[in-house]
Amino acid sequence: MKATAAPLDATLTVDASRRAAGRTTVGARGRKPLTWKKRSTPWVYMAPAMVVLLLMTVAPTIFIFYSAFRNDKILGGVGKFVGLDNFIEAVTNASVQHAFLITFGFVAVAVILEMILGFALALPLAAQTRANKVGAALMLLPFAVTPAVAAMVFKQLLNPNYGWVGYYLGVFGFPKGIDLLGDPTSAWIVLVILDMWQWTPFIALILMAGLQSLPGEPREAAMVDGATPWQMFRHITFPAMVPFIAIAAVLRTIQAFKTFDSFKILTGGGPGESTEIINLGIFRVGLQSFNVGLACALGVVFLIILSLLIPFMLRIIGRRADPEEM
Amino acid sequence: MTTTSSTSRGGAMARVIIGRTFLWAWLLIGLVPLLFMLITSIKPAGIANQIPPAWIFQPTLDNYASVLSAGGGKSESFGQLLTNSAIVSLGATALAILVGVPAAYALTMRDFRARKGLSSWILSTYMFPPIVAVIPIFVFAGKLGLMDTYPALIIPYAAFNLPIVVWILRSSILQLPYEIQEAAMVDGASTWEVLRRIIWPLLVPSVATAAVLTIVLSWNEFLFALSLTRSGAKTAPVGLQQFTGMYGTDWGNITAAATLIVAPILVLMVVLRRQMVAGLTFGAVK
């Protein structure tokens, strides 16, 4: 497979020419009215997928909007309507506010660091050398590891009594038996490092594909004109890379908001509640304390916040991944 | 990184060397956790978590034999957990492809007015946070008596991978020359025959990509598996977490189990590297 991504204006001209060509082909529309059967055909093909998606996304959404106004417990029989109580609790509770705050903080820090490092790795990786073929394969290894397994391996490495990290830090003169997960600050650093280890490769490989697909002529012209490397990067490479950067950033942001495994396994939200991001909070309230009403209210708030990302996703992914024009 | 404004060969060389050094340092340090996992899993009993770490030892496969055999105070053998993972992943993939291919085809039909809106809607379901779905699905599964069964995982996994599957397949169909379909229709072929005889044979490579991605993502899933299974349908990543309680610090067994989970996925991902990245970006990056 070859990298095929033209700069935006080029895709537009391609689309325009395809549309013009499309007009000359015999279209089904506008000649004779479609029969009902013909018009219903696509819906028949769509139906099974729509049933699956309705069951797993729309039905749960309806459920959480309904349950958020009730005090149902999974184990405690039938609850009743309680109005806005759950939402008031969800918005005013200090530990909930803290959970939302650290979630945003984690997503922002992780995505920004991964984008910068991913770009720094993509630049040397984009050169088509034999070593880089091996490099790209090695790059993918951490990304391919099951996140729950990765978290557990990190936990063993950090074990204060038997872990490699503590031992080798000790060799270099750090205090013996250091427990990095026992302190909020170092626990956060570990969680961000684990996330970077797993996900920076994904970004690096997207940006690598982008760099490899850039046309060579502008760079050559700039070289002939005696542009400095910094000018080349600033005025040629970077602007052409913007669409790829946008794709990587949007996808990674969405995925980062779904982070659960690493926190659950490495710290379980601790020490105290210092690393209890909203995903862990909802899990604890809903599936461990069985307070469905409050968990659903939190879910509603979280869902509304995440919905704000949809337009970005549709614009950036939808437009670029779509052979027709959206 | 500081950039010199010199265009001399020396400056360019220095930059290349810094870049490459950073790249290879990253790659090698990144391998440490994997090396730890692999090395510990082949250490003989008793020295797996010895401090300082043992680097010279007689490699053994005892740990693998031990985790794959039932009994020994374990509720289920790890082999059964891997089987559960495989059944759930393959089941979810079969379901996603089965409903995804016709949907992708419908979304390319030229006289289907709703296709753009529906395509966008399907793409936007990728945003749906699993944590929000897991509580209702937990309640539904309980009411329907599906708790701790394969379908309780297969259906959600298929649903959450559908946006990727449908978008990969849809753009593949759009890239086929439309004239082939038209010619067949002029000859009197029905939409089903067009899908069956013309599109499907050309779509097989894309279906394979979508299928592998769905297998990998289902195999790796943790939240739903943790919430919706107890014993009968428990998947390997969930079972692994309980190993720590069962084996305490028997790291040889734990890392052997971890390696067994990761190995098949690593192979698939490395072999199909480009397709995986293309698929995970919904075909936006090829």
Side-chain angles (χ1 to χ4, degrees):
Chain A
M1 269 171 91
K2 263 182 55 71
T4 53
L8 273 179
D9 55 345
T11 48
L12 286 180
T13 53
V14 170
D15 278 340
S17 64
R18 187 182 291 140
R19 269 207 309 282
R23 285 209 191 85
T24 59
T25 57
V26 188
R29 196 178 298 171
R31 287 190 303 123
K32 52 171 182 267
L34 292 166
T35 60
W36 181 86
K37 186 178 180 321
K38 225 177 147 176
R39 222 175 316 161
S40 65
T41 304
W43 289 105
V44 174
Y45 284 92
M46 276 306 297
M50 287 183 72
V51 168
V52 171
L53 281 174
L54 289 170
L55 274 178
M56 291 296 137
T57 60
V58 179
T61 305
I62 293 167
F63 178 94
I64 63 165
F65 271 87
Y66 166 81
S67 297
F69 294 98
R70 303 171 58 83
N71 62 354
D72 294 344
K73 301 266 188 288
I74 286 185
L75 304 174
V78 184
K80 60 178 202 300
F81 180 81
V82 292
L84 288 173
D85 289 5
N86 290 320
F87 287 99
I88 291 163
E89 171 75 5
V91 176
T92 54
N93 183 316
S95 69
V96 171
Q97 290 170 355
H98 176 254
F100 273 109
L101 209 63
I102 60 175
T103 303
F104 292 132
F106 167 73
V107 172
V109 168
V111 173
I112 289 168
L113 285 175
E114 286 160 17
M115 290 301 300
I116 294 169
L117 286 168
F119 209 118
L121 291 166
L123 285 168
L125 197 61
Q128 310 259 21
T129 63
R130 205 172 310 160
N132 276 352
K133 279 207 169 54
V134 180
L138 288 181
M139 179 63 89
L140 200 81
L141 289 179
F143 175 59
V145 174
T146 306
V149 174
M152 216 205 57
V153 168
F154 266 64
K155 196 168 183 164
Q156 289 183 315
L157 283 166
L158 295 165
N159 182 304
N161 302 319
Y162 309 103
W164 284 14
V165 170
Y167 172 76
Y168 287 110
L169 281 178
V171 170
F172 291 109
F174 284 85
K176 276 249 182 297
I178 199 164
D179 183 10
L180 289 174
L181 295 175
D183 166 75
T185 310
S186 58
W188 267 114
I189 292 170
V190 169
L191 285 164
V192 170
I193 287 176
L194 169 57
D195 204 73
M196 280 167 31
W197 176 79
Q198 274 233 280
W199 288 99
T200 306
F202 174 63
I203 291 172
L205 290 168
I206 291 177
L207 298 180
M208 177 193 88
L211 286 167
Q212 289 175 343
S213 71
L214 298 185
E217 294 87 2
R219 286 184 63 82
E220 283 154 28
M223 281 241 248
V224 172
D225 292 344
T228 63
W230 171 243
Q231 286 172 322
M232 295 244 280
F233 179 81
R234 171 80 188 70
H235 297 289
I236 295 169
T237 310
F238 190 78
M241 283 297 289
V242 165
F244 293 95
I245 293 169
I247 288 167
V250 166
L251 283 174
R252 190 57 211 120
T253 304
I254 293 171
Q255 292 155 352
F257 272 114
K258 297 180 180 178
T259 306
F260 174 83
D261 310 9
S262 58
F263 283 75
K264 177 82 184 143
I265 292 162
L266 263 181
T267 65
E273 284 184 4
S274 55
T275 61
E276 189 173 80
I277 52 173
I278 194 67
N279 282 331
L280 251 60
I282 294 176
F283 183 86
R284 186 173 55 85
V285 171
L287 294 175
Q288 289 172 334
S289 312
F290 294 128
N291 185 345
V292 179
L294 179 57
C296 288
L298 294 172
V300 168
V301 176
F302 192 40
L303 193 60
I304 289 170
I305 292 171
L306 281 189
S307 304
L308 303 176
L309 285 170
I310 290 179
F312 291 98
M313 170 144 190
L314 292 182
R315 267 241 300 283
I316 288 164
I317 311 289
R319 275 284 282 286
R320 281 199 62 92
D322 198 351
E324 349 174 54
E325 214 189 5
M326 295 286 286
Chain B
M1 233 163 74
T2 55
T3 49
T4 51
S5 58
S6 75
T7 51
S8 70
R9 185 168 298 183
M13 273 309 288
R15 259 197 325 282
V16 168
I17 289 168
I18 291 170
R20 283 195 185 164
T21 309
F22 173 59
L23 171 66
W24 287 94
W26 176 282
L27 294 175
L28 295 176
I29 294 170
L31 286 180
V32 169
L34 290 170
L35 279 177
F36 160 79
M37 184 175 80
L38 195 62
I39 289 171
T40 309
S41 76
I42 53 172
K43 281 183 178 175
I47 67 157
N49 54 1
Q50 185 183 302
I51 284 290
W55 286 96
I56 295 164
F57 57 91
Q58 187 65 45
T60 165
L61 290 176
D62 290 354
N63 296 316
Y64 289 89
S66 155
V67 292
L68 286 172
S69 68
K74 284 171 292 182
S75 47
E76 61 273 296
S77 82
F78 194 67
Q80 183 56 48
L81 299 179
L82 287 171
T83 309
N84 290 344
S85 275
I87 290 171
V88 167
S89 304
L90 293 171
T93 303
L95 180 59
I97 297 295
L98 200 71
V99 303
V101 171
Y105 177 44
L107 292 175
T108 63
M109 289 182 184
R110 299 212 164 176
D111 43 4
F112 185 29
R113 295 275 174 87
R115 71 174 187 276
K116 291 203 166 127
L118 281 173
S119 303
S120 296
W121 174 64
I122 288 180
L123 181 61
S124 66
T125 59
Y126 181 72
M127 276 287 323
F128 199 80
I131 191 75
V132 172
V134 79
I135 292 167
I137 290 169
F138 181 90
V139 173
F140 300 161
K143 285 211 169 40
L144 297 169
L146 289 173
M147 193 57 89
D148 201 23
T149 61
Y150 295 133
L153 293 184
I154 286 175
I155 300 167
Y157 289 179
F160 291 128
N161 287 303
L162 260 185
I164 293 180
V165 170
V166 168
W167 270 72
I168 293 175
L169 297 178
R170 178 175 163 273
S171 63
S172 305
I173 297 174
L174 284 168
Q175 278 158 3
L176 305 175
Y178 189 67
E179 291 71 24
I180 314 178
Q181 287 187 53
E182 244 172 5
M185 285 183 199
V186 169
D187 291 342
S190 66
T191 43
W192 174 250
E193 284 167 329
V194 170
L195 175 61
R196 180 73 199 75
R197 302 246 181 101
I198 294 167
I199 293 177
W200 175 255
L202 297 168
L203 207 58
V204 168
S206 305
V207 169
T209 299
V212 171
L213 258 177
T214 310
I215 290 173
V216 169
L217 294 171
S218 306
W219 180 272
N220 285 352
E221 207 281 339
F222 182 70
L223 169 62
F224 275 76
L226 180 72
S227 313
L228 302 176
T229 64
R230 292 288 166 269
S231 60
K234 197 195 291 174
T235 62
V238 176
L240 181 70
Q241 305 314 317
Q242 291 146 1
F243 266 38
T244 29
M246 257 177 323
Y247 290 114
T249 48
D250 188 346
W251 282 12
N253 277 345
I254 296 172
T255 48
T259 309
L260 286 169
I261 297 174
V262 169
I265 299 294
L266 277 187
V267 173
L268 276 178
M269 290 284 266
V270 170
V271 171
L272 297 167
R273 199 169 60 242
R274 269 202 180 285
Q275 287 89 323
M276 295 296 102
V277 173
L280 285 166
T281 58
F282 298 85
V285 175
K286 293 235 168 33

